[in-house]
Amino acid sequence: MPSTTPFDFSSIPVISYPTSSEENGKFITSLQNALISTGFFYLSGAPVSPETISNLVSYIPKLFALPPEEKDKFAMVHSPHFLGYTRLGTEWTKQKVDWREQIDIATPMTSRWNGKEEERWMNIWGPSQYPDESVLPGFKDAIDTYQAEVTKLGNQLVRFIAQALGLGPDGLDKFYEVPQKMQHRGKIVAYPVPDKEEGERGQGVGPHYDAGFLTILLQASSHPGLQVQNLSGKWIDASPKPGTFVINFGRALEFATQGIVRATSHRVLSPPATDEWRKIGPRYSVPFFHNIDMCVRMGDREKYGLECEDSHTSLHPLLVEPKSSMIVSEEILRLRDARGTLGNTDSVNYSEFLTEPSGKVQLVGRVKSHPDVGEKHYPELFKKLFPNGLPN
Ligand SMILES: O=C(O)CCC(=O)C(=O)O
Ligand SMILES: [Fe+2]
């Protein structure tokens, strides 16, 4: 009988990606434990080329060293898709400012919005903005190549996750459009060493859950700072381990499995404000958010109606219907019960998943995090979320 990591775990499991079909079974069992118990794991040996990774990583300091007027040319505020550069001090988590600068870049795609006002949220997906090729030659190719490889890894992980839930490899396919209609998002982030510290280490990014099914995170420098919250509320370090990605599960997967999978609250602390760290420089990371179909809605269909018309199928049934047709096995439910219920944390929590299509949930999350971009491109929604205007 497989055992689970206790809910008050104090470290995060490391799991090797299988290299042969014989290893798949062991991988799926370890994955099952991570899905249910920790919501986080380190993945070693993933099929992403080391050259692709090192090429991307070599651009990161150069990207952030671009002059401010160059970065402003591809600023997020120009993009209704929330893609592009965000300078320090304009991103918010739970009404507190995050101390990081970043560029959001998604897999290449044009907008699916057809101009209908009530479906404006479909404009959340669209083309990325890049620095001009003349100022950072080769960067666009480096990030696009990286994201294409990580997208493939994400697609493969979703098939393993389905099996870890006791479904067939295609058991989660109903949450995805055909690949040409899917946009996944990533970003490149720098967490600078703060000028001074007032008591506690600063908020690089505040406590939050990720929204989608899974996140594939590359910690691109050796800094500690990433922390994961266990079920007893304690913050556990998830410091970088060379040759690994950190994988975590988001609220969409938790909702879709009605709490079998854990979306785990996490945060990043700024590097300590010391001269030693100032010499080393900022912490760098590259999170990649593997999305689900923007039209999927997680809530009860009878109560909230069907998803949007543009979907390849109008039905996206939950894996576990409220009362009947438990598709997952008794064993998985036993493991979930052994873990215990998921307490409410003070993280950003995307409760709109029950009533809104996933694209709209994403938009609400983006407006909350980037209110200046929301005010410009989605003024109506902005007014609802920020009745007193921009936070300061
Ligand atoms: O920078 C990191 O290591 C994690 C960032 C993160 O959790 C996020 O952007 O959602
Ligand atoms: Fe995150």
Side-chain angles (χ1 to χ4, degrees), residues 208-210 215 248 266 289:
H208 66 280
Y209 298 104
D210 293 341
T215 302
N248 68 286
H266 54 284
F289 307 100

Side-chain angles (χ1 to χ4, degrees), residues 30-180:
S30 306
L31 183 58
Q32 187 180 66
N33 176 37
L35 283 159
I36 297 174
S37 300
T38 53
F40 260 83
F41 70 98
Y42 292 95
L43 178 66
S44 63
V48 176
S49 126
E51 293 73 39
T52 299
I53 295 174
S54 58
N55 187 35
L56 176 64
V57 170
S58 72
Y59 277 103
I60 298 178
K62 294 183 247 175
L63 174 69
F64 290 108
L66 289 175
E69 61 278 13
E70 231 15 275
K71 294 193 247 187
D72 280 346
K73 289 186 191 161
F74 56 95
M76 187 187 275
V77 77
H78 307 310
S79 163
H81 324 296
F82 291 81
L83 293 168
Y85 174 71
T86 303
R87 63 177 196 278
L88 273 175
T90 53
E91 192 195 15
W92 298 76
T93 302
K94 294 284 284 184
Q95 289 99 38
K96 231 182 129 191
V97 74
D98 296 322
W99 203 241
R100 58 182 191 173
E101 63 175 325
Q102 62 196 326
I103 169 170
D104 283 58
I105 296 181
T107 50
M109 172 160 198
T110 50
S111 174
R112 278 169 61 175
W113 183 44
N114 57 16
K116 276 195 212 155
E117 190 46 44
E118 66 278 16
E119 288 185 347
R120 186 176 281 276
W121 56 268
M122 291 185 84
N123 207 19
I124 186 71
W125 292 1
S128 297
Q129 304 186 88
Y130 300 85
D132 195 88
E133 192 59 23
S134 64
V135 301
L136 205 54
F139 169 72
K140 178 179 185 303
D141 187 48
I143 181 71
D144 286 353
T145 303
Y146 176 80
Q147 292 200 333
E149 287 191 36
V150 175
T151 298
K152 266 200 211 151
L153 169 63
N155 294 345
Q156 195 50 53
L157 284 173
V158 169
R159 295 175 70 77
F160 282 126
I161 292 169
Q163 292 170 84
L165 292 169
L167 311 167
D170 55 3
L172 292 171
D173 284 6
K174 54 178 161 272
F175 293 95
Y176 290 88
E177 271 286 5
V178 291
Q180 311 81 274

Side-chain angles (χ1 to χ4, degrees), residues 40 91 100 102 187 189 191 205-206 208-211 215 217-219 225-227 238 246 248 266-268 283-287 289:
F40 260 83
E91 192 195 15
R100 58 182 191 173
Q102 62 196 326
K187 51 191 176 185
V189 195
Y191 298 86
V205 61
H208 66 280
Y209 298 104
D210 293 341
T215 302
L217 170 73
L218 174 69
Q219 300 202 69
L226 176 63
Q227 293 189 321
V246 174
N248 68 286
H266 54 284
R267 68 180 183 186
V268 176
R283 172 180 186 267
Y284 296 129
S285 71
V286 187
F289 307 100

